[in-house]
Amino acid sequence: MIRVRVPASSANLGPGFDAVGVALRLYNTLELEEAEAPAIEVRGEGEGTLPRAPSHLAYRAALAVVERAGRRARRPRAFRLVQHNRIPLARGLGSSAAAILGGAVAANALLGRPLDAQALLDLASEIEGHPDNAAPALLGGLVACARTPDGVRWTRIAAPPLAVVLAVPDLAVSTEEARRLLPSQVPFADAVFNVTRTALLVAALAAGRTDVLDEATRDRLHQPYRARLIPGLEQVFDAARRAGAHGVALSGSGPSVLAFGDAPGIGDAMAAAFRAAGYGCRTLAVQIDTDGAVVESAT
Ligand code: HSE
């Protein structure tokens, strides 16, 4: 039996749409072993709602590894898979990427590691459609990435020792829907705005320059369009800034909001703003994860 731990992740960080993501110390674990017939259990987040059939994302990813390994590995008949979920679902915290990577990394370990990290990342990005959650979930830390016809090109940056506060409202947003809302064209000035902020963001995080994070997390490419799906978003951003956050952004496609900083009132301020918009909200103070997906035990 293989047990894998996979971190949550926050993609985009404001301007870095589909390009930047960070792993967070909030983990799902997944156990995988060979079986005569598919058997899937889900505990914690998604228990009772996620499919307990081979359509389960982690199971699909495990099968995809078997396919991609081809003749380099034997073909198990089926798997028994148990998922212990702590990452909230449909909240922009990379639960899908964590499921995919959990299944893929576990199956790869079970088969004697026929795929390397690059191949696992390519496979996960193909299943998910974008690499900016899968890359940090696999590699840990802060990852800049780009999909190309030849696979994902990526660079992992040593994670800055920065505290993160997440506001997770009682509202589900599907990434598909949040992507459908985006325009097919944007003004050149908005594209330039995001190029400059993304460069600033990556350099600021690498250098630990919290003083520029407020400007570096500003975005014009996706957050303004997605705000329709997330009542109170601007107010939550303002509340975080007033409470002392260095920078604040929609986490992935939302609805969770990520704030950089450890000022004591940041979480409460964001939660109060979400509540004023009509949504219950929990907050989580987390650090950046630097390990990525880890095989914890193999027996
Ligand atoms: N970059 C993706 C998006 C991340 O914003 O749609 C989804 O979590």
Side-chain angles (χ1 to χ4, degrees):
M1 192 267 287
I2 304 286
R3 188 165 67 234
V4 173
R5 186 187 80 169
V6 191
S9 52
S10 183
N12 304 331
L13 303 179
F17 181 77
D18 279 1
V20 183
V22 71
L24 301 170
R25 287 196 200 165
L26 171 67
Y27 302 102
N28 285 357
T29 58
L30 181 141
E31 293 156 13
L32 192 79
E33 60 191 349
E34 288 192 47
E36 286 301 309
I40 295 151
E41 280 176 49
V42 178
R43 300 186 188 144
E45 301 282 341
E47 187 174 337
T49 54
L50 286 174
R52 288 186 301 160
S55 59
H56 188 287
L57 259 184
Y59 200 95
R60 278 171 44 204
L63 292 182
V65 167
V66 175
E67 282 305 313
R68 193 142 305 180
R71 293 207 189 127
R72 279 173 289 161
R74 66 209 156 69
R75 297 180 74 86
R77 189 189 295 264
F79 295 112
R80 174 169 186 271
L81 180 157
V82 183
Q83 220 185 0
H84 303 260
N85 289 343
R86 288 182 59 221
I87 306 172
L89 304 180
R91 298 293 190 280
L93 295 172
S95 62
S96 308
I100 294 166
L101 260 317
V105 169
N108 197 45
L110 202 63
L111 298 182
R113 303 185 195 250
L115 304 188
D116 61 12
Q118 178 70 51
L120 286 170
L121 178 55
D122 289 342
L123 181 141
S125 306
E126 285 163 31
I127 297 175
E128 179 140 90
H130 47 85
D132 47 341
N133 287 109
L138 176 65
L139 304 162
L142 174 78
V143 186
C145 48
R147 263 189 107 180
T148 80
D150 301 322
V152 179
R153 298 288 172 265
W154 55 271
T155 302
R156 182 180 178 280
I157 296 172
L162 260 183
V164 166
V165 184
L166 299 169
V168 186
D170 296 339
L171 166 72
V173 166
S174 98
T175 298
E176 256 182 17
E177 189 185 358
R179 290 180 85 85
R180 266 200 304 273
L181 280 179
L182 303 178
S184 54
Q185 297 194 324
V186 295
F188 190 78
D190 288 355
V192 172
F193 183 95
N194 270 55
V195 169
T196 52
R197 271 57 180 187
T198 305
L200 196 58
L201 173 74
V202 173
L205 289 175
R209 283 280 306 275
T210 52
D211 58 311
V212 292
L213 279 182
D214 183 34
E215 193 55 43
T217 46
R218 306 269 171 170
D219 159 70
R220 288 190 189 167
L221 287 190
H222 69 108
Q223 293 177 176
Y225 304 99
R226 290 173 161 173
R228 291 178 33 193
L229 290 177
I230 306 157
L233 184 64
E234 271 309 322
Q235 290 79 353
V236 175
F237 285 176
D238 287 344
R241 291 186 188 113
R242 276 199 306 272
H246 302 303
V248 61
L250 189 62
S251 184
S253 55
S256 298
V257 172
L258 172 146
F260 288 112
D262 55 7
I266 297 174
D268 286 348
M270 291 197 289
F274 265 129
R275 276 196 286 273
Y279 294 94
C281 177
R282 51 185 154 155
T283 60
L284 295 165
V286 290
Q287 297 282 326
I288 291 172
D289 162 273
T290 52
D291 298 330
V294 173
V295 177
E296 287 190 324
S297 69
T299 51

